[in-house]
């Protein structure tokens, strides 16, 4: 065995990965193309938000002082709608202005009453107030954000609401990390594309499709290759091609101890392995290293494992590659509603359904936990994070990673 770290703990694996992240440059994208991208610089607002004091209601604006002894009659002198030209108008004692949501508050006025709480005479010239005006219906300039304030930080995962905020702050385009092109290479003689006719020993290849979705979920660009048969020479060619075309390579299958586990074999003989095997269950076989200078994860072939290992190792690595940015890990505390098998040495990642209906979050198994059982992952909304030595007895509490 070479002296590469072998069978490392989960924290050790993360430490190795975070010490050598990808370096992703910045590019500028229009807001329309910003969904699920990762901001590469702090963004400060170019404007106050709101830009000026304005009404949060359709109603009437007047002097608060005038409304203190209802009923009160005020004469309606003007109408202001959102986007109306600013007028030199000033609301004097005994006067009111009809105002729409978003319209600037005229000078002199300092309170609003919504239209449904007012009475207006037939000629639309006199307003009858039966209650005091409300100051809180005025949205004050800069109360959400002031000009120059940083509202989105480097690393922010761009969601529909944060993209909206970029527009509010005055940005037509924004700086984001370039997406990594991530090559996905399944290995195994038995694998065939869904839709093809299978002979008796063949199965449908699924990992590359699942991993491709995970790469997109993480905000990067998958490049899915056809699966590779178990041949060292063909694998070498495919890895070379992927290394030329991609920033990072993910393989699936062929990393265990078996004679046909050729990814592990070729990496041992011709690659540069930084660690092999991690004390997590499922998903203990993975390796990380470099092929012709390009980082590579050798993920396990079992479909549930390859997905779990992406979430546990590849996602943190990609996060580290954007300064800790992108979709963040979300953990919750759950109470085990049934007993789970834990382990003295391994971090155990059981697929669970979290029942949120009671006062405590309760975790149920999604069924048979075999690492080939993708269905149990589909049914899951979280993974237990049962630390080594932690009891998996019913009634115990543990952290869970939301999927
Ligand atoms: P391996 O890690 O190559 O020994 O594969 C472990 C198990 O996962 C075997 O049962 C394989 O048939 C299965 N497997 C490997 N790769 C894939 C894949 N891309 N899609 C579906 N199953 C796979
Ligand atoms: Mg195989």
């Amino acid at each position: 065995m070479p002296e590469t770290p072998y069978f490392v703990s989960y924290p050790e694996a993360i430490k190795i990965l975070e010490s050598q992240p990808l370096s992703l440059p910045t590019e500028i994208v229009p807001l329309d193309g910003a969904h699920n991208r990762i901001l590469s610089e702090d963004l400060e607002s170019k404007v106050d938000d709101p830009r000026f004091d304005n009404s949060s209601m359709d109603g009437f604006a007047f002097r608060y002082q005038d409304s203190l002894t209802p009923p009160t009659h005020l004469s309606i002198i003007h109408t202001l709608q959102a986007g109306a030209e600013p007028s030199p108008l000033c609301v004097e004692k005994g006067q009111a202005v009809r105002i729409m949501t978003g319209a600037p508050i005229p000078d002199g006025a300092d309170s609003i009453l919504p239209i449904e709480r007012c009475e207006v005479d037939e000629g639309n010239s006199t307003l009858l107030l039966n209650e005091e005006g409300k100051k809180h219906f005025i949205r004050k300039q800069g109360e959400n954000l002031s000009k120059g304030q940083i509202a989105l930080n480097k690393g922010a995962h761009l969601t529909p609401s944060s993209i909206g905020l970029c527009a509010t702050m005055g940005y037509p385009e924004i700086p984001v990390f370039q997406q990594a092109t991530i090559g996905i290479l399944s290995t195994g003689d038995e694998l065939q594309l869904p839709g093809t006719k299978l002979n008796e020993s063949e199965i449908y290849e699924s990992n590359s499709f699942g991993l491709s979705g995970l790469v997109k979920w993480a905000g990067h660009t998958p490049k899915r290759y056809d699966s590779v048969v178990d041949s060292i020479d063909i694998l070498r060619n495919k890895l070379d091609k992927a290394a030329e075309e991609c920033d990072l390579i993910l393989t699936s299958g062929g990393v265990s101890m078996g004679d046909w586990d050729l990814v592990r074999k070729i990496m041992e003989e011709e690659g540069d392995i930084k660690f092999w095997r991690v004390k997590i269950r499922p998903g203990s076989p993975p390796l990380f290293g470099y092929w012709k200078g390009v980082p590579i994860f050798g993920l396990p072939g079992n479909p549930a494992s390859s997905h779990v290992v992406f979430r546990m190792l590849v996602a943190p690595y990609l996060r580290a590659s954007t300064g800790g940015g992108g979709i963040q890990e979300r953990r919750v505390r759950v109470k085990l509603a049934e007993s789970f098998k834990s382990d003295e040495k391994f971090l155990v990642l059981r697929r669970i359904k979290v029942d949120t209906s009671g006062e405590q979050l309760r975790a149920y198994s999604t069924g048979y936990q075999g690492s080939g059982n993708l269905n149990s992952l589909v049914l899951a909304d979280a993974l237990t994070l049962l630390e080594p030595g932690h009891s998996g007895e019913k009634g115990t509490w543990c952290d869970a990673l939301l999927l």
Side-chain angles (χ1 to χ4, degrees):
M1 194 62 53
E3 61 200 70
T4 46
Y6 173 69
F7 233 143
V8 294
S9 70
Y10 181 64
E12 279 167 335
I14 292 294
K15 200 166 157 210
I16 293 170
L17 294 172
E18 288 182 344
S19 71
Q20 46 201 307
L22 288 173
S23 155
L24 296 173
T26 281
E27 66 179 347
I28 305 292
V29 294
L31 288 190
D32 279 330
H35 179 66
N36 208 28
R37 300 296 298 269
I38 303 164
L39 203 60
S40 62
E41 287 167 28
D42 291 345
L43 225 52
E44 56 182 51
S45 184
K46 293 174 188 275
V47 291
D48 286 333
D49 173 36
R51 286 203 53 231
F52 41 81
D53 292 1
N54 69 85
S55 175
S56 67
M57 290 287 165
D58 291 325
F60 290 89
F62 44 82
R63 291 171 177 258
Y64 176 67
Q65 204 64 30
D66 282 358
S67 68
L68 287 179
T69 48
T72 314
H73 289 88
L74 300 176
S75 66
I76 303 169
I77 57 160
H78 194 66
T79 298
L80 285 170
Q81 74 274 28
E85 289 283 307
S87 80
L89 172 102
C90 182
V91 179
E92 305 289 352
K93 189 171 181 340
Q95 294 182 330
V97 162
R98 186 186 287 271
I99 194 162
M100 311 301 150
T101 305
I105 303 295
D107 283 349
D110 58 358
S111 72
I112 303 279
L113 206 58
I115 186 120
E116 58 274 22
R117 286 154 75 170
C118 299
E119 281 175 47
V120 180
D121 74 334
E122 280 194 2
N124 267 331
S125 58
T126 307
L127 172 69
L128 170 62
L129 299 178
N130 288 312
E131 57 181 306
E132 289 177 15
K134 303 289 176 267
K135 296 194 176 202
H136 63 260
F137 290 138
I138 296 179
R139 300 189 285 215
K140 302 299 270 182
Q141 176 173 357
E143 72 181 9
N144 303 330
L145 277 181
S146 43
K147 186 176 173 180
Q149 187 180 338
I150 293 172
L152 289 169
N153 289 100
K154 175 179 175 177
H157 170 233
L158 292 161
T159 59
S161 56
S162 54
I163 293 169
L165 189 60
C166 293
T168 299
M169 295 194 294
Y171 290 87
E173 51 189 26
I174 45 172
V176 293
F177 286 103
Q178 269 181 26
Q179 293 172 302
T181 301
I182 304 183
I184 301 169
L185 213 60
S186 287
T187 69
D189 284 342
E190 72 281 29
L191 306 176
Q192 292 295 340
L193 280 175
T196 50
K197 195 162 170 9
L198 300 179
N199 73 25
E200 292 209 335
S201 57
E202 290 172 339
I203 61 167
Y204 292 127
E205 194 280 297
S206 63
N207 289 348
S208 71
F209 296 96
L211 290 170
S212 177
L214 282 163
V215 166
K216 287 186 200 161
W217 164 83
H220 298 280
T221 308
K223 191 168 174 61
R224 217 175 48 74
Y225 293 94
D226 287 343
S227 67
V228 190
V229 292
D230 291 319
S231 141
I232 282 278
D233 288 335
I234 296 178
L235 181 59
R236 184 185 300 110
N237 282 341
K238 283 292 180 95
L239 286 175
D240 284 349
K241 185 169 160 55
E244 269 171 31
E245 297 176 344
C246 304
D247 304 306
L248 170 67
I249 304 169
L250 308 179
T251 63
S252 93
V255 280
S256 304
M257 320 284 269
D259 292 345
W260 291 101
D261 286 327
L262 301 185
V263 174
R264 185 226 349 124
K265 204 162 175 188
I266 202 170
M267 282 298 292
E268 273 176 352
E269 289 167 6
E270 303 173 38
D272 175 12
I273 299 182
K274 296 301 178 193
F275 65 72
W276 177 40
R277 308 200 73 190
V278 182
K279 289 183 187 140
I280 56 175
R281 188 160 281 157
S284 63
L287 65 75
F288 171 73
Y290 292 84
W291 178 263
K292 307 279 161 73
V294 176
I296 177 169
F297 283 87
L299 305 179
N302 277 305
S305 301
S306 70
H307 191 114
V308 166
V309 172
F310 185 101
R311 289 298 297 253
M312 298 304 292
L313 297 179
V314 184
Y317 173 78
L318 291 173
R319 242 175 255 130
S321 302
T322 53
I327 291 194
Q328 297 299 304
E329 213 177 62
R330 287 182 310 141
R331 293 181 178 209
V332 290
R333 248 353 239 167
V334 296
K335 189 172 188 178
L336 302 181
E338 54 189 281
S339 289
F340 288 83
K341 197 158 175 279
S342 59
D343 192 282
E344 276 305 312
K345 299 206 170 83
F346 285 68
L347 172 67
V348 176
L349 310 156
R350 299 290 176 218
R351 284 145 261 166
I352 53 171
K353 184 96 201 141
V354 180
D355 178 359
T356 58
S357 63
E359 289 189 355
Q360 300 170 332
L361 299 183
R362 292 164 59 79
Y364 292 86
S365 169
T366 56
Y368 174 58
Q369 295 279 324
S371 51
N373 185 6
L374 202 50
N375 195 34
S376 65
L377 191 60
V378 171
L379 298 173
D381 40 34
L383 298 173
T384 63
L385 294 164
L386 280 164
E387 294 292 336
H390 192 293
S391 160
E393 288 292 297
K394 179 176 175 176
T396 335
W397 287 85
C398 74
D399 280 353
L401 174 75
L402 292 179
L403 292 174

